[in-house]
């Protein structure tokens, strides 16, 4: 292999990331947002955007970039995008912006299933594999999803689910968990602190389509890095991911 291979691969990955990011933003996105969302230097981004626009994979309207006609020629109209396909660029953006492990979970009965995950590129990090199933009560995404349930659904959950203890911080008391879920309904943010994995804090926020919770975005952050400033930035990024997902799912008129 020659010395140009790593940069060539990196450039290719960035090109794919840009296309996925713009496709996830149907209203268009300016270059500065792409640079910030994907952590790409402006000098590199301008060249890639110019090339993608020239080849019609992107189109430009004023300062905003949108999917171009070349993408339509590649798409198969018979195959709709899966939920994982839709959230993947947003999860990647979360990971790049925070450099912490980001995931998207769906509910599977009284458990969570990870359908997309991006692992932080730090020596101290949390890792979870796609397909992993975890209890709802001890993950931030699970609490966020539990908080969207009706009273009857929540009663059914507590009647059937086992509130298992995984660490000394796991919440296994129904009254305590109900009180926390009431707070989640107010803030919109599910939180955990070493309740499933020692040394890991979690933040989660639900994504809705037509008032139905389809899943939840989440960030997993090691305790030594979980400062108030990091928590604030993480919540802002989660809110942005949910907002972008919701905007993409809204019908066009």
């Amino acid at each position: 292999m020659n010395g140009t291979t790593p940069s060539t691969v990196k450039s290719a990955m960035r090109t794919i990331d840009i296309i996925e990011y713009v496709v996830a933003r149907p209203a268009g996105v300016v270059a500065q947002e792409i640079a910030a969302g994907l952590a790409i230097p402006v000098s590199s981004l301008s060249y890639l955007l110019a090339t993608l626009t020239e080849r019609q994979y992107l189109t430009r309207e004023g300062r905003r970039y949108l999917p171009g006609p070349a993408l339509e020629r590649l798409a198969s109209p018979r195959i709709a995008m899966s939920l994982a396909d839709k959230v993947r660029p947003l999860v990647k953006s979360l990971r790049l912006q925070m450099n912490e492990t980001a995931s998207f979970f769906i509910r599977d009965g009284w458990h969570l299933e990870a359908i997309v995950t991006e692992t932080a590129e730090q020596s101290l990090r949390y890792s979870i594999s796609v397909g992993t199933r975890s209890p709802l009560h001890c993950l931030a995404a699970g609490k966020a999803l539990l908080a969207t349930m009706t009273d009857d659904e929540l009663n059914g959950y507590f009647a059937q689910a086992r509130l298992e203890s995984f660490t000394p911080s796991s919440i296994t008391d129904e009254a305590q968990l109900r009180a926390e879920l009431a707070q989640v309904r107010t803030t919109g943010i599910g939180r955990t602190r070493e309740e499933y994995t020692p040394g890991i804090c979690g933040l989660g926020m639900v994504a809705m389509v037509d008032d139905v919770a389809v899943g939840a975005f989440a960030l997993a952050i090691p305790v030594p890095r979980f400062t108030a400033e990091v928590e604030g930035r993480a919540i802002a990024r989660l809110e942005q991911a949910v907002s972008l997902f919701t905007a993409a799912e809204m019908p066009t008129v």
Side-chain angles (χ1 to χ4, degrees):
M1 298 195 325
N2 59 45
T4 62
T5 300
S7 61
T8 302
V9 171
K10 188 174 184 179
S11 178
M13 292 299 295
R14 281 177 169 172
T15 301
I16 295 169
D17 288 345
I18 291 168
I19 292 173
E20 290 182 341
Y21 193 77
V22 174
V23 168
R25 305 284 298 275
V29 57
V30 300
Q32 290 86 343
E33 293 178 74
I34 300 173
L38 298 178
I40 299 176
V42 174
S43 57
S44 301
L45 180 64
S46 60
Y47 172 78
L48 293 170
L49 288 175
T51 302
L52 288 169
T53 302
E54 180 183 351
R55 298 294 297 271
Q56 295 188 316
Y57 289 100
L58 300 181
T59 186
R60 186 171 179 177
E61 294 182 2
R63 297 176 57 242
R64 306 186 77 81
Y65 290 88
L66 298 95
L71 295 178
E72 296 178 8
R73 294 194 293 269
L74 295 177
S76 170
R78 296 171 297 176
I79 303 176
M81 288 180 67
S82 68
L83 178 58
D85 290 333
K86 293 176 180 178
V87 301
R88 187 169 288 111
L90 300 174
V91 172
K92 179 181 285 289
S93 179
L94 276 173
R95 194 266 295 172
L96 289 170
Q97 290 172 333
M98 296 299 302
N99 197 13
E100 302 291 356
T101 297
S103 306
F104 189 87
F105 295 89
I106 59 172
R107 180 183 155 197
D108 180 12
W110 303 134
H111 287 78
L112 290 172
E113 180 182 342
I115 64 169
V116 177
T117 185
E118 286 271 340
T119 303
E121 295 181 349
Q122 305 203 57
S123 56
L124 179 60
R125 60 192 177 186
Y126 178 75
S127 179
I128 185 170
S129 301
V130 169
T132 298
R133 296 175 76 251
S134 310
L136 287 168
H137 72 285
C138 53
L139 267 71
K143 290 183 182 179
L145 287 166
L146 281 170
T148 67
M149 291 184 182
T150 65
D151 290 341
D152 286 344
E153 289 174 326
L154 204 54
N155 289 337
Y157 168 76
F158 283 113
Q160 300 173 35
R162 178 187 174 197
L163 301 184
E164 187 176 356
S165 177
F166 295 91
T167 75
S169 299
S170 298
I171 297 177
T172 59
D173 178 74
E174 178 180 337
Q176 184 180 352
L177 184 54
R178 282 184 180 271
E180 185 164 334
L181 295 180
Q183 293 180 341
V184 177
R185 290 193 182 101
T186 300
T187 64
I189 300 293
R191 289 178 168 85
T192 55
R193 189 175 183 91
E194 300 187 274
E195 293 173 34
Y196 189 58
T197 303
I200 298 297
C201 296
L203 296 167
M205 190 171 184
V206 166
M208 309 285 289
V209 175
D210 295 330
D211 296 324
V212 175
V214 298
F217 292 95
L219 285 163
I221 304 172
V223 169
R225 293 199 294 271
F226 195 70
T227 63
E229 186 271 336
V230 167
E231 181 180 15
R233 286 199 296 117
I235 291 172
R237 296 306 184 188
L238 286 168
E239 290 173 341
Q240 181 184 51
V242 169
S243 177
L244 294 175
F245 174 82
T246 302
E249 292 300 298
M250 290 178 62
T252 56
V253 293

